Structure formats: C-alpha cells, structure tokens
Amino acid sequence: MMRNLDGVSVYFDPAHFSAETLERIQTFPVTAVIKEMLFHTLRWSDKSAEKMPVEQTFFQALFLLCQEQMKQKAAETFTLPRVTHPSLVRAMDSALVDPGHASLTQAWHQAGMSERSFRRHFLNETGMTWQAWITQARLFHAATLLAEGQRVTDVSAEVGYASLSAFAKAFTHLLGQSPVRFRKSQESN
C-alpha cells in the first residue's frame, strides 16, 4: 500500500451534483475514515467497480461520506468561480498557472479584449471583479501549498504577498482561520 502520497484527487460523476455545485472548484479537508477509504480504493482496478457489488457499495458509501463532508464544510470552505466565455477561460487558465504573478493587464491581453470589455465580461460571468477573483485564486493556491506542509512565509511570497501580515489577514478573512492554524489542521487530517 502506498502511503507516501502528497495528495489525492477524487473525481465524481457530475450527474450526482447540482449545476451550481459544478460551476465551482471545491476543496475540503477529509476525515480519517475518508482518507483510509481512499487508500483502500487503490487495490481495485478502474473497471472493477462496474462488475462487483461490494466495490459498487464501497464507492457509493465513499461518495456519500465525501458529499456529507462537502456540505458540512461548505461554510468554512471557499469556491472559485469559473467562466464559459473562451477568451475569459484563456485568461483564467493563464492566471491559475502562477496566480502570485498574474495581473489584470496580463489577463485582458490574454483574453484579447480591451480592459473595459474584459472587466465587464468578467463581472457578468463570475459575479465578482478580477481583483476579488485573483485574490481568491491566490488564497486557493496558498491553501493547497499549506496543506502540502510548506512554510507560511514561503507560501505568502509564492502567492504574491509582499507582507506576511497582509497575507495572514486576507487568508484569515476568507477561510476563517489563520494560515498557521489551517496548515496544522491539514497536517492532522
């Protein structure tokens, strides 16, 4: 059994979620039970769940536990809106590669729009300004890095904050806990 994994990505059939849920990237901490179940799934091939009733029941239980955890943590987690307009998708994808260095100027150039058009389209599709979105993207990236065990000072610089206190304030405001506390909670999970 492989236990030295840095993380696990789980993909669910979109048919089991509401349209609103599918429009956003979501992250949530997993319980010890879910973690062990995820490791247990490594023993089966991709096709076995379609053939064996035990595996089907196991995956259904895992899905329900993850869904319950997502609902439970909904107030504590944050989401990052996505868009459908191809030019905006291109700008977002480019920004997500290195959110710490992304800028509005780069985004509207990447989208091939004027600044004014970009701002208007972006606000219409996401319901938020570029600055609010990129701040959330940076903090989303920061949460991932902290969950991997990286130092708070390194993460702060990586996501584009010149001041550790400004980073801590923004992180705490959005996630409801300090970066240090968040990192410790992820280590315990």
Side-chain angles (χ1 to χ4, degrees), residues 45-147:
S45 72
D46 292 340
K47 302 289 182 191
S48 69
E50 297 171 7
K51 299 175 184 171
M52 306 287 288
V54 171
E55 286 87 346
Q56 282 182 323
T57 304
F58 182 88
F59 282 108
Q60 180 65 24
L62 177 59
F63 168 75
L64 292 172
L65 287 170
C66 287
Q67 196 173 41
E68 177 185 50
Q69 186 70 6
M70 288 167 61
K71 288 177 185 174
Q72 225 174 28
K73 298 295 180 181
E76 299 171 24
T77 61
F78 60 97
T79 58
L80 191 61
R82 295 290 295 168
V83 295
T84 57
H85 191 287
S87 296
L88 296 178
V89 169
R90 194 170 47 249
M92 277 184 163
D93 288 346
S94 177
L96 289 173
V97 170
D98 187 8
H101 294 96
S103 71
L104 175 61
T105 304
Q106 290 171 334
W108 59 267
H109 280 295
Q110 192 72 27
M113 298 178 174
S114 70
E115 181 179 354
R116 184 172 180 230
S117 291
F118 178 81
R119 286 178 185 264
R120 184 172 33 87
H121 286 292
F122 195 89
L123 183 61
N124 287 341
E125 284 219 31
T126 63
M128 60 194 326
T129 65
W130 166 261
Q131 189 57 48
W133 183 87
I134 197 62
T135 298
Q136 281 194 202
R138 288 174 176 155
L139 296 173
F140 186 88
H141 185 58
T144 302
L145 296 174
L146 291 168

